[in-house]
Amino acid sequence: MFISNLTSSDARFKTLSFRQGLNILVADRTEVSEQGDSRNSIGKTSVVKILRYVLGGDLSPDFKAPELSDHKFTATLMLPVESGDGGETVTVSRSVSRTTRVHVSGWSAAGQAQDLHVDEWRNLLTRHVFRIPVKANRPTAGQLWGQLIRTYFGNPIKGHQSEADWESGVKIGFMLGLSPEILGKAGDLDRLTKQGKAIRKAVREGAIAHLSLDEPALRAQLATARRLRDRTQANMRSFKVDEQYVSHQQEADGLSASIQRLNDEALSLQRRSRELDEALHEEVVASEGAELAAKLERVYAEIGLVLPEVVSRRYEEVAAFHESVVRNRRSFLEQELHSVRSRLAGIDTERQALDRLRSQVMQILEESVALDTFMSMQRDLAKQEADVADLERRLEDANSISTINDTVKLRTAELIASVRTEMSERDETIDESISLFSDLGAEIYTDREASLLVSLTPKGILSVEPSISGDASVGVRSVETFMLDIVCEIAAIKAKRAPRILVHDSHLFDAIDGRQVASCLNIGARLAEQHGFQYIVTLNSDFLETVEVQSGGAFDAEPYILDTRLTDENDEGGLFGFRFD
């Protein structure tokens, strides 16, 4: 993967075109621009941040300005085809105001989709550019871009200040050819260790109530509680109740059953009583209907109409018969209702008698010494069983917390063994990177030794430490960063685990002596050509002139300088073509 050019939807933006090998973006600084300039007066660092953003990174706070809200940045990439010869020209665009979407065109790996969510874009880069295995959750594409397109220079092995040591180890190890699945287990151990520390701290501070880590004390308490419970259970099994108590208990149970039966019968009769009441009410309504018939006859008479005699006679016969039926039904219902109400009264009397008798029997039972003793033992046993269960749970929790340390120790030993085996199998590759680092150090410094120290920490974390003998100045630390990035890029290219891109902002070289900068640039140009990658560097023109002078002409920048130059001589000379704060 190469970068062909970088541009923007704003016509004022300086389009940058890149080639294979060393690319130097020069910013011309004038004497009048030394004081009081805004942070983006030229835009060298902005180039780095825009590349990171287009390739899936977060939007830099520097770009959250109203003047850039309509900007859309576009990068043209050259991506190799995974099978066959040649490559694909891919265009990637991402707007400032719509940070979650990325427009990708020309890449067969993306399929028909062009407007992608940024997570989909990152996933494509993860699988097809960096080729990170699906089962590996570290490193991420963002972490690898942090190594290849740097915005943080405080630590050679870290892409940002808060990056965990185990994450740095997985990232560098992945670029050197080691298995990320094996190295990533250090993250599981790190999380487990932190979890155990957090729980123990919470217990010590009393944040988790009733939880103790003193296992011996808990075991002693549990043994005592179990002994008391077992003794109570044995006493209850051997507990004897006299015959009189048993007889009263049986009598009380029988009375309770009888009362329950009466209650059930009373409920049934009450329902029957309601039904009879409703039936009688309907009969009353029916009788009122006969009165209505008589009223109807009077109405006919009042308006001068006379019913025929035969009709009148038949109507009277039917009415008399109906009245007889109603009378008989009402009599039956009234008798039935009387019978139900009598039985309900009898049930109430019988139930009261049984209840009084049961109360007398229960009084005898309650006053019995045997009942008090037995119920007291039951209460004691229930409490003792609860105490035993609580102590068992607390001991189990304490044991689980204690075994976290044992689990960490066991898994750490397993991890160290696995990583050592992995390192042994990749010994030739690792030695090659170590040797290259040492050779580069000898080329840059004649009076210092450079070493790339690859080892395992006691926690199973891969430790990669670039080291140059002598004073640990900022300049020396910057050279270590340069050398490590070059070594990791070359190793990752050989392992097909990285794009052919390495970008260094001018901040990396600020504290390095001009002669060493010249050596670094010569190395970058030579190795980029030899291994087929782009090495993009941003430098101020005055600094570059100093490098050429101090190196005695050992480095000639002219062949590598981009056609587009930035300047702070006026507002239009910077990357964006205007200034903003």
Side-chain angles (χ1 to χ4, degrees):
M1 173 179 171
F2 297 99
I3 302 173
S4 293
N5 61 63
L6 180 67
T7 186
S8 169
S9 56
D10 192 314
R12 295 171 293 179
F13 189 90
K14 303 295 187 301
T15 296
L16 302 177
S17 297
F18 303 98
R19 54 183 174 266
Q20 186 174 325
L22 176 61
N23 294 256
I24 300 178
L25 174 61
V26 175
D28 294 316
R29 294 181 61 85
T30 61
E31 294 181 2
V32 296
S33 67
E34 295 297 329
Q35 299 295 329
D37 284 334
S38 62
R39 61 172 177 263
N40 45 66
S41 60
I42 304 181
K44 301 188 312 297
T45 301
S46 294
V47 172
V48 180
K49 294 177 180 178
I50 291 171
L51 283 174
R52 286 285 296 274
Y53 181 62
V54 172
L55 294 170
D58 295 330
L59 181 67
S60 170
D62 295 347
F63 300 153
K64 295 178 181 179
E67 296 90 339
L68 298 180
S69 59
D70 295 329
H71 268 55
K72 178 173 66 176
F73 302 116
T74 301
T76 303
L77 310 174
M78 298 299 297
L79 288 167
V81 178
E82 293 186 7
S83 59
D85 298 328
E88 296 176 318
T89 301
V90 179
T91 302
V92 183
S93 298
R94 193 174 178 191
S95 65
V96 172
S97 59
R98 198 165 176 237
T99 61
T100 60
R101 308 305 300 181
V102 179
H103 185 83
V104 180
S105 63
W107 194 9
S108 58
Q112 298 299 319
Q114 290 188 336
D115 186 31
L116 305 177
H117 190 278
V118 65
D119 290 338
E120 296 177 284
W121 173 230
R122 290 166 180 165
N123 187 60
L124 284 171
L125 294 171
T126 297
R127 303 301 172 219
H128 297 283
V129 173
F130 292 104
R131 295 180 176 85
I132 300 172
V134 175
K135 294 182 180 180
N137 57 14
R138 292 293 189 280
T140 65
Q143 289 173 332
L144 292 167
W145 284 129
Q147 191 78 21
L148 298 174
I149 306 178
R150 279 186 179 270
T151 57
Y152 173 70
F153 302 96
N155 189 318
I157 68 168
K158 294 186 181 296
H160 56 83
Q161 188 173 4
S162 60
E163 186 174 273
D165 290 342
W166 72 268
E167 290 181 302
S168 301
V170 176
K171 177 187 66 179
I172 302 298
F174 173 79
M175 299 184 78
L176 294 180
L178 299 177
S179 166
E181 295 97 330
I182 293 176
L183 298 178
K185 293 179 181 179
D188 298 332
L189 285 176
D190 183 71
R191 286 186 289 273
L192 186 61
T193 301
K194 289 179 178 177
Q195 181 186 33
K197 289 180 179 179
I199 293 174
R200 285 190 290 273
K201 181 180 178 182
V203 172
R204 288 193 300 269
E205 295 177 353
I208 304 179
H210 308 299
L211 186 59
S212 170
L213 298 180
D214 191 347
E215 290 185 69
L218 287 173
R219 285 196 182 91
Q221 295 174 28
L222 179 59
T224 300
R226 283 173 174 169
R227 187 170 62 255
L228 291 175
R229 180 202 60 188
D230 295 344
R231 184 183 301 166
T232 301
Q233 287 177 336
N235 289 338
M236 289 188 68
R237 285 195 295 269
S238 62
F239 192 86
K240 303 296 182 181
V241 181
D242 58 44
E243 295 298 330
Q244 186 70 17
Y245 177 84
V246 173
S247 175
H248 289 320
Q249 182 66 62
Q250 292 174 345
E251 183 180 359
D253 292 342
L255 291 171
S256 296
S258 298
I259 292 173
Q260 184 60 48
R261 285 194 295 272
L262 290 174
N263 287 338
D264 294 340
E265 184 181 357
L267 286 174
S268 177
L269 290 173
Q270 286 170 357
R271 285 194 296 271
R272 178 61 178 160
S273 176
R274 287 193 297 271
E275 294 171 353
L276 292 171
D277 280 335
E278 291 173 358
L280 283 171
H281 177 70
E282 292 173 357
E283 293 298 326
V284 171
V285 172
S287 66
E288 290 176 353
E291 293 178 3
L292 289 175
K295 290 179 181 179
L296 179 62
E297 190 172 356
R298 287 197 297 276
V299 169
Y300 269 78
E302 289 174 358
I303 63 176
L305 297 177
V306 179
L307 295 173
E309 181 180 354
V310 62
V311 174
S312 176
R313 180 172 58 80
R314 288 180 179 176
Y315 177 82
E316 290 171 355
E317 290 174 355
V318 172
F321 176 78
H322 177 70
E323 184 180 354
S324 173
V325 171
V326 170
R327 221 175 17 253
N328 290 337
R329 176 172 171 75
R330 184 184 302 172
S331 175
F332 170 79
L333 291 174
E334 288 174 348
Q335 290 176 2
E336 182 70 12
L337 181 60
H338 177 73
S339 175
V340 168
R341 287 175 176 172
S342 296
R343 177 55 185 156
L344 282 172
I347 287 175
D348 187 63
T349 301
E350 185 177 352
R351 184 168 51 193
Q352 290 178 5
L354 289 175
D355 191 63
R356 284 193 298 270
L357 182 58
R358 185 178 64 173
S359 297
Q360 294 173 359
V361 175
M362 292 301 297
Q363 182 68 27
I364 295 173
L365 288 173
E366 290 174 357
E367 293 174 355
S368 171
V369 174
L371 177 62
D372 290 343
T373 303
F374 189 77
M375 293 181 66
S376 176
M377 291 178 67
Q378 282 185 319
R379 288 192 296 269
D380 290 344
L381 180 59
K383 183 178 182 304
Q384 290 165 2
E385 287 178 339
D387 291 342
V388 169
D390 180 64
L391 286 168
E392 288 175 341
R393 177 187 58 79
R394 291 168 62 187
L395 181 59
E396 182 179 355
D397 290 342
N399 184 61
S400 298
I401 295 171
S402 298
T403 56
I404 289 179
N405 285 339
D406 297 334
T407 302
V408 169
K409 292 178 182 178
L410 177 62
R411 292 186 181 178
T412 300
E414 294 173 349
L415 175 60
I416 290 175
S418 298
V419 177
R420 288 192 186 281
T421 301
E422 176 70 9
M423 291 175 65
S424 177
E425 293 176 354
R426 304 288 184 272
D427 188 62
E428 184 176 344
T429 302
I430 295 174
D431 284 350
E432 186 177 339
S433 295
I434 293 173
S435 297
L436 176 58
F437 188 88
S438 179
D439 291 342
L440 295 181
E443 185 174 345
I444 297 172
Y445 294 104
T446 59
D447 57 344
R448 296 173 183 264
E449 290 186 3
S451 303
L452 186 62
L453 308 177
V454 182
S455 62
L456 276 177
T457 71
K459 295 182 179 180
I461 298 173
L462 182 70
S463 172
V464 179
E465 182 182 354
S467 174
I468 296 176
S469 63
D471 63 301
S473 64
V474 176
V476 171
R477 199 64 171 163
S478 296
V479 173
E480 291 173 349
T481 300
F482 164 81
M483 292 164 54
L484 178 66
D485 289 351
I486 289 286
V487 167
C488 287
E489 169 72 346
I490 292 173
I493 288 174
K494 290 181 178 179
K496 296 183 179 180
R497 291 183 171 185
R500 297 175 179 272
I501 300 169
L502 181 61
V503 181
H504 280 154
D505 183 47
S506 60
H507 292 305
L508 176 65
F509 302 102
D510 286 344
I512 305 177
D513 181 83
R515 289 167 297 180
Q516 278 79 52
V517 173
S519 295
C520 291
L521 295 176
N522 275 323
I523 289 171
R526 183 181 74 250
L527 294 181
E529 184 69 26
Q530 179 181 341
H531 295 280
F533 66 91
Q534 283 179 313
Y535 182 40
I536 300 173
V537 178
T538 67
L539 292 172
N540 288 327
S541 58
D542 53 351
F543 182 79
L544 186 57
E545 291 172 1
T546 301
V547 169
E548 291 178 319
V549 171
Q550 290 184 354
S551 66
F555 174 72
D556 181 14
E558 188 62 31
Y560 310 109
I561 295 176
L562 300 182
D563 295 335
T564 301
R565 296 174 71 107
L566 307 179
T567 179
D568 57 4
E569 186 175 4
N570 51 54
D571 290 346
E572 294 77 22
L575 178 67
F576 293 93
F578 64 96
R579 298 195 184 193
F580 61 92
D581 293 322

